[in-house]
Amino acid sequence: MKETLRIVGCRAGSPTYGNPASGTLLTTSEGTILIDCGPGVLVNLTEQEVRNLIGVIISHRHADHCLDLMALAYKILFPSLQKPIPLFGPPSLSEMITSYDDLFGIPSLPTLKRPIATAFSFTPVIPGGSFTVAEAFTFETALMHHPVETMAVKSVDFNVVVTADGSYTEELQKLCADCDILVAEATYPDDEGRHLEEHGHMTAAVCACLAEKAAVKHLIVTHLSDPADSEVTIAQVKKLFHGNSILASPGLTLDCCRPSLLGYVQKEG
């Protein structure tokens, strides 16, 4: 099996037609690992990808990164119960799981009374710590500067980092150092009136400087607040980052074992 990274969705805030919110899929020799599960992600996963899930990682509890976790739980539990899937996230995710299950559980169906708690086996990860998926794949994390507890995630085995949401920090740069593939947010094209520290996000320039300082090989720019900013965002990134950079799009796939080669961009429709 080819080991790949695929952008499932890359929208900030909410999905649009053909583009789910945040979701990145690692396909490994042991199965698939989903990093973030924003609205629209589930319908862009194949039956085989869901069936082969060996782990789900949620970076933080903002809706555009976790809302489809409930939909995924329903998929796993209905119409027939499957084995619980390991779920990893910051400790504050536990409160969100309880709240979602209180709201969306179905008391008349035993397996759906507590959908997320039943479909997943949650392991809290203190940002800055590490964890292992399927006793085979190691992940390191860094605490992001964001309004809620958020962790950036690094696959040690594939040398891939997904920043999730947050402004630049020295801890993030250390996590990204010399990585082969960096999936990094550039929520805003510039810093004019953005209050970056308060909202905990990066601009195109900050994202590019992060990749440049960390000597990243391939940069995937994601989580734009407005798709209309795509052209100016990637142009700004290319001015400041001298490695390979590309704007995220649903279906964009990279070969993790040979990261110098881009896979393909799956055309919408």
Side-chain angles (χ1 to χ4, degrees), residues 34 37 50 53-58 66 68-77 81-88 97 101 114-123:
L34 180 63
C37 193
V50 174
L53 276 172
I54 57 173
V56 175
I57 303 165
I58 300 295
C66 70
D68 254 17
L69 195 60
M70 179 60 74
L72 181 56
Y74 269 63
K75 174 72 175 176
I76 294 166
L77 299 174
L81 179 66
Q82 298 180 36
K83 183 180 179 180
I85 295 170
L87 171 66
F88 305 89
I97 292 171
D101 279 350
R114 314 293 301 173
I116 298 177
T118 304
F120 301 98
S121 175
F122 178 55
T123 298

Side-chain angles (χ1 to χ4, degrees), residues 35 75 113 262:
I35 304 173
K75 174 72 175 176
K113 284 183 179 180
L262 277 174

Side-chain angles (χ1 to χ4, degrees), residues 158-210:
F158 302 115
N159 205 19
V160 168
V161 175
V162 178
T163 68
D165 291 359
S167 57
Y168 172 88
T169 65
E170 293 292 334
E171 290 77 13
L172 177 61
Q173 184 181 321
K174 290 176 183 176
L175 188 74
C176 297
D178 298 314
C179 71
D180 289 329
I181 302 170
L182 171 61
V183 182
E185 70 126 284
T187 301
Y188 302 114
D190 54 57
D191 60 2
E192 187 175 351
R194 307 298 183 181
H195 304 291
L196 296 177
E197 288 301 309
E198 178 183 351
H199 297 310
H201 285 298
M202 288 187 281
T203 63
V206 175
C207 172
C209 289
L210 167 66

Side-chain angles (χ1 to χ4, degrees), residues 15 19 91 93 105 115 119-120 140 156 158 176 200 206 211 221 248 255:
N19 191 353
L93 202 66
F120 301 98
E140 296 176 348
V156 175
F158 302 115
C176 297
V206 175
V221 183
D255 186 336

Side-chain angles (χ1 to χ4, degrees), residues 220-241:
I220 302 176
V221 183
T222 189
H223 203 268
L224 275 62
S225 59
D226 187 345
D229 294 329
S230 296
E231 187 173 333
V232 66
T233 295
I234 197 65
Q236 180 71 1
V237 167
K238 289 181 180 295
K239 286 181 183 179
L240 299 171
F241 173 60

